């Protein structure tokens, strides 16, 4: 399990380090050009061809940074598989460090630069001290915000996976726009107050954007950043609340292509759907649940809102807004709660089918004997 912590830092000789960033960006682009020209992203081939030439061209840059820049460039090329345009780095792009080029002793951080190493004593909040004391330091990234003229150190730590939670309880999670989260145990977290703030920001943005002045553009940027922080804070709070629920497994719907699949004629509905941060909430829940030894699984979301969790009847007319009433068995329930129960039951159904098929495979599979050994091909 990995965790990344970001710290604002102050570098005394800023111009020297900005010069290093600029040269590393040029190296990155040169490695990318070589890889595209030769249709080759092998690190060993690039190293044998360009390492000594690069050392002669940039003698002041430490060799560890040359190799890390090469690795970052070739990894970017490998991701594209030569199917997109050549990836490029801006003038002051981030620099990746490993344990050779960056060291951390307690709260004392040092990393390579042109000439002497940069040495910084970090101010670590009490919340992150257990991570510094017990987790293994793996490396980091130094980045620069050209607008605020601020450097940041993103430090990466690794810890062994925690023991798996033995709680057999399973909770289904239905995510929505009106009710942010509905759990199969009956908990509903609505978004009434959050939606009011979103409408307020949307109205303010529209009024300010109509003025079309430089100060209006600056104000729009501030509003967008404030709204983004609000959404992130809410998702952190909700994911923490869910992760601390008494259960071992959380089941969510796979909403990967939801924005492409759901299209409405209403501009308001489309705006709400496009500003829906369901992916961030899922990401926060996944890493927080993993830290507690719990798991998050995905299921197919089809018909989870139309299906009756009591009799299994699927009918679109059963649901009207937040009310659900089955026309077959008469079961009534909150629509989102009914969907959360269906999500949970769908996962439990796959578990029972998988277990049954494995047991059937064990029964039907002949035992193969080799000399004095007995090999069973499948185990339940």
């Amino acid at each position: 399990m990995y965790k990344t912590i970001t710290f604002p830092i102050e570098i005394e000789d800023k111009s020297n380090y900005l010069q290093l960033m600029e040269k590393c960006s040029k190296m990155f682009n040169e490695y990318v050009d070589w890889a595209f020209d030769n249709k080759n992203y092998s690190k060993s081939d690039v190293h044998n061809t360009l390492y000594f030439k690069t050392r002669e061209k940039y003698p002041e840059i430490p060799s560890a940074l040359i190799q890390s820049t090469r690795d970052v460039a070739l990894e970017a090329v490998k991701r594209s598989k030569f199917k997109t345009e050549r990836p490029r780095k801006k003038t002051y792009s981030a620099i990746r460090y490993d344990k050779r080029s960056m060291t951390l002793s307690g709260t004392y951080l040092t990393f390579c630069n042109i000439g002497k190493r940069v040495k910084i004593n970090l101010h670590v909040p009490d919340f992150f001290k257990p991570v510094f004391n017990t987790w293994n330091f793996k490396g980091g990234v130094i980045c620069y915000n050209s607008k605020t003229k601020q450097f940041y150190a993103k430090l990466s730590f690794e810890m062994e996976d925690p023991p798996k939670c033995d709680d057999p309880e399973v909770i289904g999670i239905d995510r929505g726009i009106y009710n942010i989260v509905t759990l199969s145990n009956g908990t509903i977290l609505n978004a009434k107050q959050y939606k009011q703030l979103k409408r307020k920001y949307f109205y303010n943005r529209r009024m300010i954007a109509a003025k079309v002045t430089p100060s209006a553009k600056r104000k729009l940027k501030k509003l967008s950043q404030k709204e983004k922080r609000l959404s992130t804070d809410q998702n952190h709070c909700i994911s923490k609340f869910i992760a601390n629920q008494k259960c071992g497994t959380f089941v969510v719907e796979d909403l990967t292509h939801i924005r492409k699949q759901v299209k409405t004629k209403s501009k308001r509905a489309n705006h709400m759907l496009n500003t829906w941060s369901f992916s961030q909430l899922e990401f926060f829940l996944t890493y927080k649940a993993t830290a507690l030894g719990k798991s998050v699984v995905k299921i197919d979301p089809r018909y989870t809102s139309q299906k009756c969790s009591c009799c299994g009847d699927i009918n679109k007319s059963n649901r009207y807004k937040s009310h659900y009433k089955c026309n077959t068995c008469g079961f009534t329930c909150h629509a989102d709660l009914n969907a959360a129960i269906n999500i949970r039951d769908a996962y439990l159904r796959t578990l029972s089918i998988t277990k049954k098929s494995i047991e059937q495979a064990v029964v039907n599979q002949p035992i193969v004997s080799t000399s004095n050994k007995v090999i069973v091909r499948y185990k339940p």
Side-chain angles (χ1 to χ4, degrees):
M1 179 180 175
Y2 289 89
K3 188 179 186 69
T4 301
I5 306 176
T6 303
F7 293 93
I9 59 175
E10 293 294 335
I11 299 177
E12 293 182 359
D13 194 354
K14 291 185 178 181
S15 59
N16 194 27
Y17 196 81
L18 291 176
Q19 185 181 0
L20 173 66
M21 283 186 156
E22 184 177 356
K23 292 184 177 181
C24 287
S25 297
K26 290 181 179 179
M27 275 196 299
F28 176 93
N29 297 333
E30 290 172 3
Y31 282 123
V32 169
D33 290 337
W34 186 94
F36 269 81
D37 293 340
N38 295 274
K39 299 298 180 182
N40 185 358
Y41 46 76
S42 171
K43 295 179 181 179
S44 60
D45 293 346
V46 176
H47 177 80
N48 295 333
T49 306
L50 298 180
Y51 176 72
F52 292 105
K53 295 180 181 179
T54 307
R55 288 290 291 161
E56 292 178 0
K57 188 175 181 179
Y58 305 100
E60 66 281 5
I61 298 181
S63 60
L65 292 186
I66 292 177
Q67 296 181 47
S68 66
T69 304
R70 176 204 65 203
D71 294 344
V72 173
L74 296 179
E75 288 166 8
V77 174
K78 187 176 181 180
R79 282 193 298 269
S80 65
K81 301 288 186 182
F82 307 109
K83 296 179 181 178
T84 61
E85 295 182 358
R86 303 186 180 195
R88 286 287 185 245
K89 270 199 172 186
K90 297 181 180 179
T91 305
Y92 302 124
S93 296
I95 300 177
R96 187 171 74 181
Y97 290 84
D98 55 18
K99 294 182 69 174
R100 297 179 302 165
S101 53
M102 176 181 284
T103 59
L104 180 66
S105 178
T107 60
Y108 194 67
L109 179 71
T110 68
F111 51 89
C112 290
N113 189 11
I114 296 176
K116 296 182 179 180
R117 292 172 71 95
V118 179
K119 301 178 182 179
I120 299 172
N121 193 9
L122 299 173
H123 174 68
V124 181
D126 294 337
F127 180 79
F128 292 120
K129 285 183 179 179
V131 177
F132 274 71
N133 297 332
T134 58
W135 292 40
N136 296 324
F137 175 69
K138 302 300 292 183
V141 173
I142 303 296
C143 54
Y144 178 70
N145 189 329
S146 57
K147 295 180 181 179
T148 60
K149 311 298 181 182
Q150 178 67 56
F151 288 95
Y152 293 92
K154 298 182 178 182
L155 308 182
S156 179
F157 297 86
E158 182 184 18
M159 185 188 73
E160 295 182 0
D161 292 337
K164 191 174 181 180
C165 181
D166 296 331
D167 195 334
E169 184 70 21
V170 178
I171 291 181
I173 302 174
D174 179 66
R175 292 166 289 174
I177 297 175
Y178 295 98
N179 293 319
I180 300 177
V181 164
T182 303
L183 307 183
S184 58
N185 60 8
T187 304
I188 299 177
L189 303 178
N190 64 51
K192 185 176 180 180
Q193 184 178 4
Y194 177 66
K195 283 173 60 181
Q196 290 177 352
L197 290 172
K198 293 277 285 186
R199 286 196 296 268
K200 175 184 174 182
Y201 285 126
F202 178 68
Y203 175 80
N204 290 340
R205 284 201 310 270
R206 190 169 58 180
M207 292 296 102
I208 295 172
K211 298 183 178 180
V212 196
T213 60
S215 60
K217 293 180 180 179
R218 291 194 297 268
K219 185 65 176 177
L220 283 174
K221 289 182 180 180
K222 289 183 179 180
L223 280 178
S224 64
Q225 292 171 0
K226 190 174 182 180
E227 185 177 0
K228 183 179 179 181
R229 291 194 299 270
L230 171 70
S231 177
T232 302
D233 176 69
Q234 178 183 258
N235 287 332
H236 270 300
C237 295
I238 293 175
S239 60
K240 184 178 180 180
F241 171 78
I242 299 173
N244 290 325
Q245 294 289 311
K246 187 179 179 182
C247 79
T249 305
F250 298 102
V251 188
V252 298
E253 297 171 293
D254 188 0
L255 302 177
T256 305
H257 303 291
I258 187 66
R259 290 192 175 94
K260 296 180 180 178
Q261 296 171 354
V262 179
K263 293 182 179 179
T264 64
K265 296 181 180 179
S266 171
K267 291 183 179 180
R268 180 184 176 186
N270 288 330
H271 173 74
M272 294 174 65
L273 183 65
N274 291 330
T275 57
W276 184 24
S277 58
F278 63 89
S279 179
Q280 187 186 62
L281 177 61
E282 180 183 321
F283 173 74
F284 289 166
L285 175 61
T286 301
Y287 86 76
K288 290 178 182 179
T290 304
L292 297 174
K294 303 177 182 180
S295 59
V296 178
V297 296
K298 297 182 182 180
I299 60 130
D300 191 341
R302 286 179 291 184
Y303 306 115
T304 53
S305 298
Q306 302 176 16
K307 185 177 181 181
C308 176
S309 59
C310 184
C311 67
D313 177 59
I314 299 176
N315 193 335
K316 189 177 181 179
S317 62
N318 289 344
R319 176 170 181 169
Y320 178 72
K321 294 184 178 179
S322 62
H323 303 285
Y324 187 91
K325 183 177 180 180
C326 181
N327 297 325
T328 303
C329 67
F331 172 74
T332 59
C333 181
H334 191 284
D336 293 338
L337 179 58
N338 177 75
I341 296 173
N342 284 329
I343 293 169
R344 180 200 63 190
D345 293 345
Y347 171 70
L348 294 176
R349 198 176 302 113
T350 58
L351 284 182
S352 61
I353 292 174
T354 305
K355 185 176 180 181
K356 184 177 179 181
S357 61
I358 292 176
E359 291 176 350
Q360 188 67 25
V362 172
V363 172
N364 298 332
Q365 180 65 32
I367 297 177
V368 181
S369 62
T370 306
S371 64
N372 295 328
K373 298 180 180 180
V374 178
I375 303 174
V376 180
R377 294 181 183 270
Y378 301 96
K379 290 186 177 181

